[in-house]
Amino acid sequence: MKKVDVLVIGAGAAGCFSAIRASESFKEAKITILERSSKALAKVKISGGGRCNVTNVISEPAELSKHYPRGERFLKKAFYQFSSNDMKAWLEQRNIPLKLYPDGCYFPVSNDSQTIIDCFLNEIRKNGIELLLNQRVESVRKLDSGMFEVTTPEMVFQAAKVILTTGGQPKISGFELLKSFDLKIVAPVPSLFTFNMPDESVKELMGIVQENASVKIVGQKWSSNGPLLITHWGMSGPAVLKCSAFGARILEEKQYRSKIAVNWTGEESQETVRETIRDFVQSNKLVANSPLYEIKTRLWNYLTEKAGIPAQFKCSELTAKHQNKLLEVLMNDLYSMEGKTTFKEEFVTAGGIDLNEIHVQTMESKKYPGLFFAGEVMDIDGVTGGFNFQAAWTTAAIAGKHVLQNN
Ligand SMILES: Cc1cc2nc3c(=O)[nH]c(=O)nc-3n(C[C@H](O)[C@H](O)[C@H](O)COP(=O)(O)OP(=O)(O)OC[C@H]3O[C@@H](n4cnc5c(N)ncnc54)[C@H](O)[C@@H]3O)c2cc1C
């Protein structure tokens, strides 16, 4: 049996960072990380297409927290302790400069996720943290002494404190190791996926991007904005991924069959679009040569045909009925979603440890003092853009800072 001060379970982004932050705050502490696989930081390696979208330029807590379908209110408070600018500064202090892209995403200047991994592994070594690979934790329980007993098939550990950072679990069985605790777990469902539309002819326009579209699940009040990409199986792009994240639970309930409404104009006000159409009908040009809202010609022709406008029509020939139909197709264009495809670049699981179980100031369990959480194991997930890693960095920084505070 091995005794340590802090045992971190899982050597992903949250696990490694919480261990490093704990050793920075508590220099004498004996800290061990247990990882079930043969490599630490495996997801960091493949993240952002091998380049690792480390974080986002947004750092103001209220603004940043809006990018989390699950965990917004919790994270807003957490970001006051450690936000994206803190992570950027931490990396830069370790000679890892980041490059800002026009969409607000930060990547390492090296454009290689290995840079982040090397930095973390170096800090782990430098701070004397023990990293044990191929150690799958099977159970965690609290002893009468107040210590935690953690077992893997080969080893038994006793730890004063435990930080659980086992990441997103696609199935509820992924929380088996916690069965001795009475913790509420929100059932996992996938997030960040693209929409399959097998019966929609719009697929024939694959490759077309509408830069400023908005996407809505019919019946819901909210919509998601951003670029929309038409693919050979349906629709993808940031607007669709964001919609899948905010609608993760609703879409799961609907078995991924739903009506989706696309607003190709990016405009919220019907009156503004109606005004644009009124100006449009003043023109003597062909409708086909006069796309509105920077819609690509092929898509424009598809939409005007859907609005029942004959191909050879001039703008000035549109009747009031045509104008109404065009408005509807531009702003509330309906498609049938039937199934989903997991986005290959980035996917996360919604669900996990219920945030009501956790003190946001410390990341400690409310019911089981000494047990801390960080990262995607909690019921937190974000949209694409470096937000998922930022949630991991923030919660890990807080857990690491407080883990031995009351010793
Ligand atoms: C392909 C892909 C690309 C992504 N790209 C980005 C990106 O560019 N930017 C971004 O912000 N987010 C990205 N994400 C999301 C991001 O990777 C996750 O949100 C983040 O890794 C979560 O960190 P974590 O430490 O909580 O969990 P993880 O990184 O999943 O780490 C959990 C660790 O715990 C270990 N573990 C699990 N169970 C046990 C056990 N019983 N015993 C011991 N060890 C265990 C696992 O093996 C794993 O190493 C991407 C995700 C994927 C899948």
Side-chain angles (χ1 to χ4, degrees), residues 213-217 220-226 239 242-243 246 261-263 266-268:
S214 89
V215 180
K216 192 175 152 172
I217 299 167
Q220 301 301 311
K221 287 202 181 82
W222 48 268
S223 59
S224 309
N225 306 314
K242 219 188 281 178
C243 185
F246 281 93
V262 179
N263 177 345
E267 281 287 350
E268 277 177 32

Side-chain angles (χ1 to χ4, degrees), residues 138-398:
E138 291 181 327
S139 75
V140 184
R141 63 190 189 101
K142 196 157 189 184
L143 304 174
D144 292 342
S145 63
M147 297 282 281
F148 291 88
E149 186 187 74
V150 175
T151 54
T152 73
E154 293 146 32
M155 297 177 83
V156 179
F157 296 82
Q158 271 194 20
K161 305 289 164 90
V162 166
I163 309 180
L164 190 87
T165 59
T166 44
Q169 304 294 327
K171 291 195 185 132
I172 200 92
S173 56
F175 297 92
E176 241 335 72
L177 78 168
L178 293 176
K179 67 171 184 264
S180 72
F181 299 98
D182 174 26
L183 287 167
K184 189 165 176 230
I185 293 162
V186 181
V189 296
S191 183
L192 295 180
F193 45 83
T194 64
F195 297 169
N196 295 355
M197 298 174 166
D199 297 332
E200 297 288 357
S201 56
V202 72
K203 294 185 317 245
E204 286 157 26
L205 304 176
M206 64 187 161
I208 289 184
V209 176
Q210 177 63 4
E211 283 301 335
N212 192 16
S214 89
V215 180
K216 192 175 152 172
I217 299 167
V218 172
Q220 301 301 311
K221 287 202 181 82
W222 48 268
S223 59
S224 309
N225 306 314
L228 183 155
L229 167 69
I230 300 171
T231 66
H232 68 275
W233 64 89
M235 289 181 185
S236 178
V240 168
L241 292 172
K242 219 188 281 178
C243 185
S244 80
F246 281 93
R249 293 224 168 261
I250 304 155
L251 289 172
E252 199 257 353
E253 278 164 25
K254 290 172 174 276
Q255 296 287 300
Y256 305 101
R257 284 165 183 269
S258 174
K259 282 272 179 238
I260 303 293
V262 179
N263 177 345
W264 299 100
T265 70
E267 281 287 350
E268 277 177 32
S269 147
Q270 262 206 21
E271 213 21 68
T272 313
V273 179
R274 201 178 280 285
E275 196 65 36
T276 307
I277 295 175
R278 266 190 224 119
D279 290 346
F280 175 79
V281 295
Q282 304 304 316
S283 160
N284 249 338
K285 286 192 196 160
L286 284 176
V287 170
N289 294 339
S290 315
L292 292 170
Y293 296 102
E294 295 175 16
I295 295 173
K296 306 279 182 316
T297 310
R298 279 198 309 142
L299 176 59
W300 175 251
N301 290 341
Y302 169 86
L303 295 175
T304 51
E305 193 188 328
K306 213 170 171 182
I309 301 169
Q312 71 286 4
F313 254 41
K314 288 184 178 160
C315 303
S316 53
E317 289 178 289
L318 297 199
T319 62
K321 203 171 154 198
H322 286 134
Q323 292 177 42
N324 286 339
K325 192 72 187 134
L326 183 60
L327 179 84
E328 195 190 319
V329 168
L330 287 176
M331 292 196 81
N332 190 32
D333 193 18
L334 298 182
Y335 294 91
S336 294
M337 170 192 185
E338 280 180 46
K340 62 171 172 49
T341 301
T342 306
F343 187 48
K344 65 177 182 324
E345 288 297 309
E346 180 170 6
F347 60 91
V348 292
T349 312
I353 310 284
D354 191 317
L355 300 179
N356 291 316
E357 297 277 359
I358 304 165
H359 288 293
V360 68
Q361 294 82 6
T362 56
M363 299 298 147
E364 190 170 19
S365 159
K366 289 180 182 169
K367 288 188 202 137
Y368 304 99
L371 178 63
F372 292 73
F373 304 96
E376 221 184 292
V377 73
M378 305 157 83
D379 184 23
I380 286 178
D381 60 273
V383 297
T384 58
F387 299 106
N388 282 300
F389 277 138
Q390 188 53 49
W393 312 136
T394 294
T395 50
I398 296 174

